[in-house]
Amino acid sequence: MNFKTALGGISYIFQDLKEVMAKANEEKSGDRLAGLAAETVQERIAAKTVLSDILLSDIRNNPLIPIEQDEVSQIIEGDINEKIYSDLKNWSVAELREYILSNEVGDRELKRISKGLTSEMIAAVAKLMSNLDLVHAANKIEILSTCNITIGQKGTISSRLQPNHPTDSVDGMIASLKDGLSYGIGDAVIGINPVDDSVESVKRLLHATHDFIENWKIPTQNCVLAHITTQMKAIEQGAPADMIFQSIAGTEVANRSFGISAELIKEARHLALKQGTGTGPQVMYFETGQGSELSAEAHFGIDQMTLESRNYGFARHFDPFIVNTVVGFIGPEYLYNSKQVIRAGLEDHFMGKMHGIPMGVDICYTNHIKADQNDIEDLGVLLTAAGVNFIIATPMGDDCMLNYQSMSFHDVATLLQTFGKTPAPEFLKWLEKMGIYENGRLSNRAGDPSLFTR
């Protein structure tokens, strides 16, 4: 491989593929914190120039973390379709970009080539794309997934209803749940982040959401986002969980810091299929976010965007129902301002779609990041245009338990109405039956939680 180029009379020489990948990345405070970022805009352009000429076979033959050292690498490598890879291996990264953006290439072709691409190849091509490229390419891809209902159809955007409560009060959670449903939110999942990670608390919240769903015959899924082992114990004790959740990372060492392994996730998936209440076949929910490997001191000198792509290669192996990046949650150490948050959200969504997984986004920010509600509304518009599978929504856009800002119920409803999109078909039918939607749009009764009082 050639790791040098000259721009404007200045020569740039990079040591290896890892350095080229890192310095070709758009500006991220996490990469700078790790000492991996390009020092100047000119150096970033030089790295992109070098990366554009590298062959896909070069990327595969020079793993950033060898498979002997990392089970995430093993999984990504083992899942490659060799026949499809053989058709692509002599393409340069620039040629892959041109193919993806070509007018003649659509959903079927992109889903086919995705089976022959490693996560590092997908990250590499994303580094050569503008924000509009990422929107346009992702919007070509339709990823359907099925648990109790099917989501991801073109023309739809689903949502996770997140009725968190600072004391795990069932009454408080149900009040938020009613509010969200009255805006047409919740077809991807009714998912709660518990304060108390005990088995008994998780069982109580699962029973409460399951009973409400059953009572109102809501076509959706429930989940409590405790640690995977806590959820497994709750299910083994009879708790009604439609799917199992876990945060994941892009290296084996980082996953160990979360208390997980590929074998544990495999065991959890088997349990969910055997004893969970979800119809399936997809019963897993994964959450990611750029920077988690750096937080765990397990990044191995690899930039955070490439590691995020490896998340999706790992997730793909377990056939998830939904995956989402929490794009601005960790803080300014990894994504400093709104420009970086917006870029990361578009990167993550595109990379997830190119892995063939049902990709959603928690469009959010913490109070100490240089961003505000207008910025995440901008990202919401861009992701809606990009065909995001689902968006996370909280009451008034303010999570009172996790203490961060996200999209509100009415924000998501406004995005759907502005772009002429609807929730998933089965959920939409139920909303129309409840009088919340009429003729594919929110009715005058929308936003009134007293609909659920009887």
Side-chain angles (χ1 to χ4, degrees):
M1 286 183 285
N2 177 29
F3 294 131
K4 61 183 180 180
T5 190
L7 295 176
I10 300 174
S11 294
Y12 295 89
I13 302 174
F14 305 97
Q15 290 186 353
D16 52 23
L17 179 61
K18 192 180 290 187
E19 184 181 8
V20 172
M21 294 277 282
K23 292 190 172 180
N25 203 14
E26 292 298 305
E27 176 72 14
K28 305 282 176 57
S29 55
D31 292 337
R32 193 156 296 285
L33 179 65
L36 305 175
E39 291 299 322
T40 64
V41 173
Q42 290 82 0
E43 186 181 25
R44 181 174 300 114
I45 294 170
K48 288 179 187 286
T49 301
V50 170
L51 182 61
S52 69
D53 290 331
I54 289 174
L55 301 183
L56 301 185
S57 59
D58 291 332
I59 294 176
R60 189 179 187 188
N61 294 333
N62 294 271
L64 302 185
I65 309 179
I67 61 173
E68 297 82 11
Q69 301 174 18
D70 184 274
E71 71 175 9
V72 176
S73 295
Q74 291 170 21
I75 285 171
I76 293 168
E77 175 67 21
D79 284 347
I80 294 301
N81 182 306
E82 296 294 345
K83 174 66 173 71
I84 295 172
Y85 168 73
S86 68
D87 295 337
L88 312 174
K89 66 181 182 179
N90 292 322
W91 290 10
S92 68
V93 177
E95 287 170 329
L96 176 60
R97 175 185 175 274
E98 291 303 309
Y99 180 84
I100 290 170
L101 296 174
S102 169
N103 285 337
E104 289 73 39
V105 172
D107 173 69
R108 183 178 62 83
E109 293 85 1
L110 293 181
K111 283 193 283 198
R112 178 184 179 275
I113 68 165
S114 75
K115 299 179 187 300
L117 298 174
T118 67
S119 300
E120 287 81 0
M121 295 173 197
I122 292 171
V125 75
K127 293 172 190 290
L128 302 186
M129 289 184 167
S130 70
N131 286 5
L132 184 56
D133 290 341
L134 296 169
V135 170
H136 176 65
N139 187 52
K140 293 183 177 189
I141 306 171
E142 180 186 58
I143 306 293
L144 305 183
S145 59
T146 304
C147 187
N148 291 336
I149 67 170
T150 299
I151 66 171
Q153 299 90 342
K154 277 286 187 181
T156 70
I157 295 182
S158 294
S159 52
R160 170 182 159 194
L161 203 169
Q162 186 169 296
N164 293 345
H165 192 275
T167 64
D168 287 343
S169 163
V170 168
D171 289 341
M173 179 271 293
I174 292 294
S176 293
L177 175 56
K178 292 177 179 178
D179 190 27
L181 289 168
S182 74
Y183 281 101
I185 304 303
D187 50 340
V189 62
I190 294 170
I192 302 167
N193 298 93
V195 177
D196 182 353
D197 196 63
S198 69
V199 174
E200 288 305 313
S201 177
V202 170
K203 285 165 61 178
R204 181 168 53 86
L205 292 172
L206 283 170
H207 278 290
T209 52
H210 177 78
D211 291 348
F212 191 91
I213 290 169
E214 289 292 301
N215 186 38
W216 290 95
K217 297 179 172 56
I218 308 169
T220 188
Q221 298 74 212
N222 77 331
C223 185
V224 173
L225 285 69
H227 191 268
I228 192 169
T229 53
T230 307
Q231 296 168 78
M232 291 170 72
K233 290 175 184 175
I235 292 171
E236 288 168 344
Q237 295 177 23
D242 292 326
M243 68 182 84
I244 291 180
F245 164 86
Q246 181 55 46
S247 294
I248 60 173
T251 68
E252 181 180 352
V253 176
N255 278 331
R256 284 179 187 164
S257 76
F258 291 163
I260 63 168
S261 65
E263 186 59 34
L264 178 61
I265 293 177
K266 180 181 176 182
E267 182 184 340
R269 182 173 181 271
H270 177 73
L271 177 67
L273 287 168
K274 200 170 182 183
Q275 293 182 236
T277 47
T279 305
Q282 282 91 26
V283 291
M284 298 302 293
Y285 175 12
F286 297 122
E287 199 161 71
T288 71
Q290 290 194 28
S292 60
E293 298 83 6
L294 181 56
S295 294
E297 298 183 350
H299 62 90
F300 295 92
I302 302 169
D303 68 275
Q304 63 187 41
M305 176 193 169
T306 301
L307 290 168
E308 181 69 10
S309 188
R310 285 169 54 89
N311 271 294
Y312 307 137
F314 185 68
R316 172 169 63 181
H317 184 71
F318 301 99
D319 190 25
F321 175 64
I322 48 177
V323 178
N324 70 260
T325 173
V326 188
V327 74
F329 182 70
I330 301 181
E333 301 89 344
Y334 308 107
L335 298 171
Y336 182 72
N337 56 24
S338 59
K339 183 175 183 179
Q340 293 184 18
V341 169
I342 289 170
R343 174 69 189 189
L346 297 178
E347 289 169 347
D348 294 356
H349 177 248
F350 164 77
M351 293 189 298
K353 283 283 194 75
M354 277 301 298
H355 278 85
I357 59 176
M359 194 66 199
V361 180
D362 190 354
I363 306 167
C364 62
Y365 65 101
T366 53
N367 289 319
H368 59 313
I369 202 169
K370 290 187 178 295
D372 60 27
Q373 203 70 20
N374 284 330
D375 296 317
I376 65 166
E377 288 178 9
D378 289 347
L379 180 54
V381 169
L382 289 167
L383 286 166
T384 302
V388 68
N389 274 48
F390 74 101
I391 297 171
I392 291 179
T394 62
M396 299 301 295
D398 185 7
D399 191 298
C400 60
M401 192 280 277
L402 292 172
N403 195 30
Y404 79 116
Q405 274 56 59
S406 187
M407 299 295 278
S408 70
F409 302 146
H410 54 276
D411 288 335
V412 177
T414 301
L415 288 171
L416 267 68
Q417 199 144 311
T418 301
F419 281 82
K421 295 179 181 285
T422 68
E426 295 165 76
F427 193 69
L428 176 61
K429 187 176 179 180
W430 176 80
L431 291 171
E432 289 173 337
K433 180 181 176 183
M434 291 293 296
I436 296 168
Y437 262 68
E438 290 178 357
N439 301 317
R441 296 171 64 87
L442 288 170
S443 72
N444 291 332
R445 298 190 69 187
D448 180 6
S450 69
L451 286 163
F452 298 98
T453 303
R454 63 182 181 194

